[in-house]
Amino acid sequence: MTMRPTRVCFLNPFGYELFDPATRASRVFGGAEVQLYYLATALAALEKFSVSMIVESANLRHQQVVEGVKMIPVRPEPPALARLRDRIPIPSLRYLSAMRTADADIYLQRGGAVQTGDVALHCRVARRRFVFMAAHDWDCDHHHRGGSQYLAGTYYVAGLHRADLVYAQSQFQQDQLQRHHHTSSAVQRTVYPAAPVSSPDEREHVLWVGRCVDWKRPMAFLDLAEARPDVPFMMACAPYEGAHDLYVSVAARADLMPNVEFLGFVPFAATDDLFRNARVIVNTSTVEGFPNTFVQAARVATPVLSLEVDPDRVLETGGFGACADGNPATLAEQLDQMLDNATWRRHSANALDYFRTTHDLETILPAFARSLEDLCRS
């Protein structure tokens, strides 16, 4: 008897642009959406799985199949309702209906949000399995229950507790989930497919990539560039809803610096060349999950410098970069060291080794697929 495929539905509201770059997402997407894209398309290529994805789109009218994944479109919610749901956990009828349409065995959602509660609600009523994936360190403590978001955060936590399988991005997140929520989890590393590597002669700029939000501290990158006017810096800094003034300020300051090329928003597909041709990438965030930029850099043998974030001390143990532990002066010194050719070559080789053993999609996928099959059978 032929076994039917395991039906997996990914909830990825802002991820359709990754399938169709000509279509701009209703909001700027980040690493969570990228990870769901890679995992969904990789699973869809396996005969044992049938994969669907719920995406927000005002134009998609049918359940078309793209890269093996069936798209289930949901019309974007009115902005006023979306803002209200950030505070009051009103279940989304549009998403609940889309989940019924998907009729999956397993529903997978990434990142702490009101939607976590909605997916848990659907799975409990429909008696289906729910997999939650942490996307940020804030998903693992009580950050989401702060201030005016207490009710929405409580709904998220209730959904987290209802998940049948929880994935953390790091050992730190795994510990935090246990400490704050008494929730067991497995570590699922960020994944990317392998990519071509550029020669050292093609690499020039110091790179920053991210959304223009306060906690990513784009101004700290410009401080670093100001201290090294002899070095070319490049900034792919996407504007973000609710942070318009910061974006204007960053763009204006960068425009006055002759050694800084400010790119603004760059489509995801075009960022590969930025990482491939970078001498080093710099992360200035105060807090992250496991930065996708670390993995994007490592897979093309580009070293990483971080002002404050180093999950599980991977830069140190992997030997492909350094963390300044929050000290801008230390970060500047580390950049000077990384610009030395011998130092750079050593860290570059370590970066590629680290990627191949820890984050290569082809290497990680079998265990991930097996965990979903086991969950469905249990």
Side-chain angles (χ1 to χ4, degrees), residues 185-206:
S185 60
V187 174
Q188 168 67 32
R189 296 292 185 183
T190 300
V191 293
Y192 271 80
V197 175
S198 294
S199 69
D201 295 339
E202 298 177 79
R203 299 169 179 267
E204 296 181 349
H205 55 270
V206 177

Side-chain angles (χ1 to χ4, degrees), residues 91-114:
S92 171
L93 297 181
R94 295 180 183 184
Y95 276 93
L96 291 173
S97 176
M99 283 186 275
R100 285 195 299 272
T101 299
D103 190 27
D105 302 308
I106 298 171
Y107 292 81
L108 193 151
Q109 186 261 333
R110 189 179 184 100
V114 169

Side-chain angles (χ1 to χ4, degrees), residues 7 35 41 46 86 88 91-92 109 124 128 142 146-147 159 161 176 184 190 196 201 229 253 268 274 282 348 352 361:
R7 300 187 301 256
Q35 286 304 292
T41 52
L46 304 178
D86 281 342
I88 301 175
S92 171
Q109 186 261 333
R124 183 169 189 185
R128 304 299 167 91
H142 296 289
H161 290 166
Q176 291 292 93
S184 298
T190 300
D201 295 339
R253 183 182 174 192
F268 176 73
L274 298 183
V282 174
S348 174
L352 195 55
L361 176 60

Side-chain angles (χ1 to χ4, degrees), residues 27 77-87:
R27 291 200 314 206
E77 293 178 331
L81 178 58
R83 288 192 295 270
L84 180 62
R85 272 171 48 82
D86 281 342
R87 289 170 171 76

Side-chain angles (χ1 to χ4, degrees), residues 300-316:
V300 291
T302 301
V304 177
L305 295 178
S306 179
L307 178 56
E308 192 159 353
V309 171
D310 186 9
D312 294 348
R313 306 300 292 182
V314 295
L315 297 179
E316 178 182 340

